[in-house]
Every structure is written in C-alpha cells, then in structure tokens.
Amino acid sequence: MNSGNSHHRLLDHIVYTVSDLDSAVIVLEKKLGVKAVFGGHHPTQGTKNALINLDNGTYLELLTADEANKNIAPPRWMGVDILTHDQITRWALKSNELKKDAIIVKQYLPEMGNITGGSRNTANGSLLKWELILPLSTPEIELVPFMVDWSQTETHPHDALPDMGCKLIELYGTHPNPDILYNTFHKLGVHLRVEPNEKISLKAIIQSPRGAVEI
C-alpha cells in the first residue's frame, strides 16, 4: 500500500513495535534523519509511543511496553510481549464505519473484530480519544489491518506533529501464503502488495531526509 494510491481507504498509521523506546528513537534518527516525538501513554493497554510524521495524514508509531504501568498484565497488544526484534507489527486504516469493518475482519479471524474506545494524554496534556477495532496481542505480525475512528477527538495525532520531511513510499508485506489475505483485503477495499516468503513481515519504504529508507 502506498500513500498516494490507497484505493478509497486511507492509511492511518503504521505500528513499529520496539523493545526500548529511547534506543529505537536514536536508531531511527540515524536511519531517517528525523527524531520521533514522544506521544504519550496508553493506560488501558500498558504501552507508550513516539511518532514520526509521514505526511498525507499518516504517521509511524514507535510502540513499546510501558513498564511503569503495573495495571496491565502481559500479553499486551500488537505483539509487544512476543517481539523478536524491532519491526513493523501492525498497520491501521482510517474508518468511520467500524461495525462494517469489524464484520469483515471477524470473517478472517473471529477474535479480531472487537470494537473498543481508547484515549491518551498527549505530551502537551491534551486528550486524544478514539474508537478502534482492537489489535490482538498475537501474532507478532498481523498483515490484516485494524481500523481507527478519530471522529471523537479534536486533533488527529498527525496534525499535531511538525513536518519532518518524511513520506511513505510504500507499505508492503511478505507471507508464506498471500492468497489467504487477498479476499479480506478486497472486502476492506485495500491494496497491500504481499510477496510470497516463508517469513511473515511488514516493511515500509520511507522517503526521508536521508533518502529512501526501508524499515
């Protein structure tokens, strides 16, 4: 899926799950030439994040376990607790029809279709609120997207980010059997290139101040 040709579905964000947020910010700064901005804490999920503006209303979310949050026991969402190395584990579409999307993802995997609300305080203290189709704690990487509805919040996280000179060229995946995904993608109205590979992965090619970089 590329930023400029996403059919009629818009990419909301890409989740880059990491074992340590501070060190991941440094590593990506060296790769991309931009420093991720701390986003905030997800108190109901036991995670925290930092964000990189990818232009066109989308962003890269660096996500990690919030070890200061003792209220949420593992396994936490998006593969945080089974992570083998820092990598993209999820991706999200914008949606104003979560119930319709939930029916489609439930057909793919029944556990995936749960709609829930969420919120976090931003670094400047304002409150972000959203509804989403809840991403699961497993598997480590899920190629079928989840969906987020931001209509309850005043400012989308992307709009609060400075221009960082980064833009998504393409998000693509690898999977041993891509054909099992395409029916779901078709129903959702998305195009994600998936290359046959014994390894499941999500990769993003990003135009950055350091040139085109794949993560």
Side-chain angles (χ1 to χ4, degrees):
M1 183 168 186
N2 59 39
S3 193
N5 177 22
S6 55
H7 199 35
H8 61 274
R9 295 302 298 262
L10 294 174
L11 180 66
D12 189 76
H13 67 281
I14 297 166
V15 182
Y16 186 78
T17 304
V18 302
S19 57
D20 180 82
L21 196 59
D22 292 339
S23 59
V25 167
I26 293 166
V27 168
L28 280 185
E29 187 176 10
K30 286 176 183 167
K31 278 188 179 177
L32 300 172
V34 295
K35 186 172 184 178
V37 175
F38 183 72
H41 302 263
H42 305 115
T44 58
Q45 299 299 336
T47 51
K48 60 185 178 180
N49 66 12
L51 311 178
I52 292 175
N53 187 344
L54 295 180
D55 205 15
N56 286 344
T58 188
Y59 61 94
L60 181 71
E61 175 184 29
L62 284 64
L63 183 82
T64 195
D66 182 0
E67 301 301 352
N69 183 341
K70 306 299 183 192
N71 299 320
I72 307 299
R76 290 158 285 204
W77 64 355
M78 306 215 225
V80 161
D81 291 298
I82 53 172
L83 192 69
T84 53
H85 62 275
D86 293 3
Q87 61 184 319
I88 298 170
T89 66
R90 302 289 188 279
W91 60 297
L93 298 173
K94 298 180 194 299
S95 178
N96 54 12
E97 294 184 295
L98 286 183
K99 286 180 180 168
K100 185 176 164 189
D101 286 333
I103 291 167
I104 296 168
V105 296
K106 265 183 193 285
Q107 288 169 348
Y108 170 74
L109 188 68
E111 299 87 349
M112 265 180 84
N114 295 321
I115 299 172
T116 186
S119 67
R120 71 171 167 84
N121 285 100
T122 64
N124 69 7
S126 61
L127 182 68
L128 287 179
K129 290 179 71 178
W130 61 85
E131 279 195 308
L132 84 169
I133 295 175
L134 190 68
L136 303 177
S137 56
T138 60
E140 183 179 11
I141 299 159
E142 178 56 75
L143 268 67
V144 170
F146 66 99
M147 296 80 195
V148 188
D149 181 348
W150 292 99
S151 58
Q152 295 179 44
T153 208
E154 288 181 9
T155 306
H156 184 274
H158 167 270
D159 300 332
L161 292 170
D163 181 356
M164 296 180 173
C166 289
K167 187 172 184 173
L168 180 67
I169 298 172
E170 186 186 17
L171 177 71
Y172 73 95
T174 65
H175 193 281
N177 185 9
D179 290 346
I180 68 169
L181 302 163
Y182 288 136
N183 186 38
T184 302
F185 290 165
H186 179 71
K187 288 179 186 172
L188 290 171
V190 295
H191 296 297
L192 182 78
R193 179 167 68 90
V194 183
E195 297 177 351
N197 191 298
E198 60 187 39
K199 196 168 188 274
I200 296 174
S201 71
L202 280 164
K203 301 287 185 182
I205 304 169
I206 295 168
Q207 186 64 44
S208 76
R210 295 270 161 88
V213 177
E214 181 171 288
I215 61 167

